Amino acid sequence: MTAHPVDEKLPALKMATSGLQHVAAMYAGVVAPPLIVGTAVGLTGTDLTFLTGACLFTAGLATFLQTLGIWKIGARLPFVNGVTFAGVAPMTAVVASAHDKSDALPVIFGAVIVAGLLGFLAAPAFCKAVRFFPPVVTGTVITLIGVSLLPVAFGWAQGPDPAASDYGSPTQLTLAAITLLLVLLLRRFTRGFVKQIAVLLGLIAGTLVAIPFGLTDFRPVADADVIGFPTPFHFGVPQFHLAAILSLCVVMVVSMTESTADMLALGEIVERPADERTIAAGLRADTLGSALSPLFNGFMCSAFAQNIGLVAMTRIRSRFVVATGGGFLVLMGLCPVAASLIAVVPRPVLGGAGVVLFGSVAASGIQTLVRAGLEKDNNVLIVAVSLAVGIIPITAPHFYHAFPQTARIVLDSGISTGCVAAVLLNLVFNHLGRGGRDAQDVTHPMEAGEEIARTRTAPHQAPVPAQDRATP
């Protein structure tokens, strides 16, 4: 009996090259979160390299869980796992609220462990509750993730040190613009594998351009070991703070919702539809991988949607190809020199590439919202208010200054507050009472009133009362 393409084992060379392509497609996404959080904490170049390597290592382990599976854990689909962007804003909020920055990472690790274990226990029930997280909710949250991260890219574009005299100088901003332009040109005029790794190539080219300006520092590579291991609890024993746990639990719900949508999409692409059992197993892999990740100094793990696009484009559906990519991630995590390469990249170069990277996340959320039924005024209001609530910490960072410090860990995360708002508003407008049945189709959230509508109606045609209009 012929094996399903998902279970097919390809020749070694094709397996290796295809696996490397998956790593290339996700590499920038994996290293960005530890770079953002590590910079916020104020880690040295050596520790930043260590944190990046740890996240590569744990991403590989999580990918093994998802593709190969054990017991009832793992979707056994070509599903790549890595550090989720959704946790970046809440984690930086934890860093900002910490009196001693050295305690920030242990607090984050403790919160991720608890959120992962709770998510693992909730996985079977979550499959049944996924109807409360429709595209109108997930699209809003994914959009907020991208919008929340864009200021990070803008900060990088100005330089590494806000106190430096050249911070935000024309040289720094020009370097960021050149990198952005290079990425766009590669995406526009290349095809296949080169197009998939446009961000990575843009980072390399931007770093080379920065050398004549003296903005590239190769010391992290020189100081890194060739072989190393992400020593457990390198940054301290995990600490468990309630506010941080609540914030990361919200992120876990967002992550599980996004992973569910990704599994459904991937199941259709590989022609092995993801049923409830498959989704539950996939969520167990996500959450268990997240719970184990902090033991090796990594962050919360989730599916990487860009790799789903790669599967669709290449039509290589073997889960063993992705597992091979997971093996490369583990090897990179065990090789500090490889992990240190990202520390060489100048901040403006990262900023230019970050505009594309983080903007793509926001665009992905908008794509989801397009499928969310925004012709209904209920959904328009849900998106409008949730986005407004989520953008508050970005546009008005001191908005919640009068609240207790523990509450601000949640409130200062636009992703957390926006997600809570979207879920609650969706329940009120689309589930409670007759909300779902009474939703009206509109072309604008501020629909014309009855009197205005009557003046627009032809003389021979009586206006249709709102309660008598058919709801699709």
Side-chain angles (χ1 to χ4, degrees), residues 8 12 51 134 229 295 321:
E8 184 181 3
L51 185 64
F229 183 79
L295 304 181
V321 164

Side-chain angles (χ1 to χ4, degrees), residues 181-332:
L181 180 61
L182 288 170
V183 174
L184 293 177
L185 290 174
L186 286 168
R187 290 290 299 178
R188 174 63 182 86
F189 295 107
T190 61
R191 300 177 63 184
F193 181 59
V194 175
K195 185 174 183 178
Q196 286 296 322
I197 61 172
V199 172
L200 184 60
L201 294 177
L203 291 173
I204 295 171
T207 301
L208 295 176
V209 171
I211 292 176
F213 297 97
L215 298 176
T216 305
D217 182 7
F218 290 96
R219 283 177 298 178
V221 176
D223 296 338
D225 296 326
V226 177
I227 299 175
F229 183 79
T231 312
F233 307 130
H234 175 81
F235 296 101
V237 178
Q239 300 178 24
F240 303 94
H241 292 190
L242 181 60
I245 290 171
L246 290 176
S247 184
L248 269 297
C249 281
V250 171
V251 174
M252 179 57 72
V253 171
V254 174
S255 176
M256 292 171 72
T257 303
E258 187 177 354
S259 288
T260 299
D262 288 340
M263 277 184 271
L264 291 170
L266 184 60
E268 293 298 323
I269 290 171
V270 301
E271 298 177 354
R272 180 182 277 182
D275 56 18
E276 190 173 298
R277 181 181 298 179
T278 301
I279 292 173
L283 292 179
R284 287 192 189 99
D286 267 9
T287 53
L288 182 60
S290 295
L292 294 176
S293 186
L295 304 181
F296 299 99
N297 313 284
F299 297 139
M300 188 178 293
C301 295
S302 181
F304 267 57
Q306 58 263 47
N307 291 82
I308 296 175
L310 189 57
V311 172
M313 183 189 73
T314 62
R315 301 302 297 166
I316 297 175
R317 295 176 280 180
S318 170
R319 60 191 173 100
F320 297 105
V321 164
V322 175
T324 302
F328 284 120
L329 289 171
V330 169
L331 290 176
M332 292 171 70

Side-chain angles (χ1 to χ4, degrees), residues 359-424:
S360 297
V361 177
S364 176
I366 294 170
Q367 287 178 325
T368 304
L369 287 174
V370 168
R371 306 190 299 270
L374 294 186
E375 71 279 0
K376 293 183 171 60
D377 61 346
N378 283 358
N379 288 345
V380 170
L381 290 173
I382 292 169
V383 174
V385 175
S386 300
L387 285 178
V389 170
I391 290 173
I392 287 174
I394 304 170
T395 57
H398 304 293
F399 189 82
Y400 300 110
H401 74 277
F403 284 74
Q405 195 68 27
T406 52
R408 289 186 60 186
I409 292 179
V410 177
L411 295 174
D412 284 345
S413 167
I415 297 170
S416 298
T417 54
C419 177
V420 171
V423 171
L424 293 178

